[in-house]
Amino acid sequence: MIKKQRAFLKWAGGKFKLVDAIVRHLPAGQRLVEPFVGAGSVFLNTDYPNYLLCDINKDLIEMYRIVQKDPEHFIGLAGELFVAANNDSDFYYETRKRFNAATDPLDRALGFLYLNRHGFNGLCRYNRKGSFNVPFGSYKKPYFPEAEIRGFSLKSQNAEFACIGYEQAFALLKQEDVVYCDPPYAPLSTTASFTTYVGAGFSLDDQAILARNSRHTAFEKGIPVVISNHDIPLTRELYRGAKLEVISVQRNISQKGASRKKVDELIAFYDAVESSGNVIQMLQRA
């Protein structure tokens, strides 16, 4: 049994637990394209010749480029932040303040990793002014992911990182690509809110546009697309024409541990060949 490789970031909605189910739906290809790379668990646990890994979070992408190029220098500097004396709310908030004021990519990358591992619940959240605003996490001993950083760097030698939105990522697709999309999830209810990772967040319109782009990419360009999301009536309607698999997974959807429970997640697979046949059948019935 091959041991799965963990990401070096904590990430709300990370796909480590779902990797096996997702990989089952990913066909062979020359390049895996991820418009929402996040912590990169799918990238780390697949074996494509090349990767295009995209995200609109500039801090995330710049950090990945630094780790890709010179992991040992990054590890040496980051390790100085992961000492017991720095696991303190005062140091955390001072580091967050410095991070929000910093302009140097390396300074921001180091701050980003420290905040990610010491902040509350692995959240990555910015306010409307673009300032990181996750509170201190109060963990007993935050983990320094030295081995995971080296593993990520080694794996990323065949990867290209791009700070672009999902529509721009779809525009860069070419034949023999395979696409995996892990968008910010649709809300479980009308009272639930989106987590704003960057900018104005991911709207219901974005959910619909992503689904439409995925269908068109499979139907018209012959490029397979896999998407994961909450299993709710909205996503089942949006992902019509796709093969669907439901997975029950533990999610921290509440701050209170006793309220955390399993939720159903949907994996939608737009098979390029079969989807084209579905389109022909629908046109013949019309």
Side-chain angles (χ1 to χ4, degrees), residues 99-286:
F99 170 81
N100 286 326
T103 57
D104 179 74
L106 179 57
D107 289 342
R108 290 190 69 87
L110 293 167
F112 191 82
L113 178 62
Y114 169 86
L115 294 171
N116 172 264
R117 283 283 170 177
H118 292 76
F120 177 75
N121 217 26
L123 292 176
C124 180
R125 189 184 65 197
Y126 300 78
N127 63 23
R128 292 184 179 181
K129 294 181 180 180
S131 295
F132 190 89
N133 64 356
V134 176
F136 182 56
S138 299
Y139 298 109
K140 185 176 181 180
K141 187 179 180 180
Y143 175 66
F144 178 47
E146 181 176 350
E148 290 82 355
I149 293 171
R150 287 196 178 95
F152 188 100
S153 180
L154 181 63
K155 178 76 173 179
S156 71
Q157 297 310 303
N158 293 326
E160 176 187 354
F161 296 100
C163 184
I164 57 177
Y166 68 95
E167 291 185 279
Q168 292 170 287
F170 270 83
L172 296 176
L173 294 176
K174 54 189 179 182
Q175 292 302 311
E176 297 191 77
D177 280 347
V178 176
V179 185
Y180 170 62
C181 295
D182 180 27
Y185 277 15
L188 285 169
S189 69
T190 55
T191 58
S193 61
F194 289 104
T195 299
T196 301
Y197 296 101
V198 181
F202 201 79
S203 68
L204 292 178
D205 284 344
D206 285 310
Q207 298 283 354
I209 293 168
L210 175 62
R212 184 182 65 205
N213 285 352
S214 300
R215 284 196 304 275
H216 288 180
T217 295
F219 292 179
E220 298 174 9
K221 297 182 179 180
I223 298 172
V225 181
V226 175
I227 311 176
S228 52
N229 212 317
H230 281 140
D231 181 17
I232 55 176
L234 170 67
T235 53
R236 283 180 173 263
E237 172 60 23
L238 288 177
Y239 302 150
R240 61 188 183 279
K243 296 179 180 178
L244 303 178
E245 180 181 357
V246 179
I247 304 292
S248 185
V249 64
Q250 188 77 33
R251 283 291 181 213
N252 295 340
I253 59 175
S254 170
Q255 292 183 10
K256 297 180 180 179
S259 300
R260 295 174 181 175
K261 58 183 180 181
K262 288 190 175 183
V263 295
D264 286 340
E265 301 209 3
L266 199 65
I267 299 175
F269 174 38
Y270 290 97
D271 183 292
V273 176
E274 293 195 16
S275 294
S276 298
N278 289 340
V279 171
I280 292 172
Q281 290 177 10
M282 286 188 287
L283 290 174
Q284 289 174 340
R285 291 174 190 156

Side-chain angles (χ1 to χ4, degrees), residues 79-95:
E80 296 175 6
L81 294 171
F82 283 74
V83 296
N86 293 344
N87 187 24
D88 170 80
S89 62
D90 290 340
F91 186 86
Y92 177 88
Y93 288 113
E94 182 60 32
T95 301

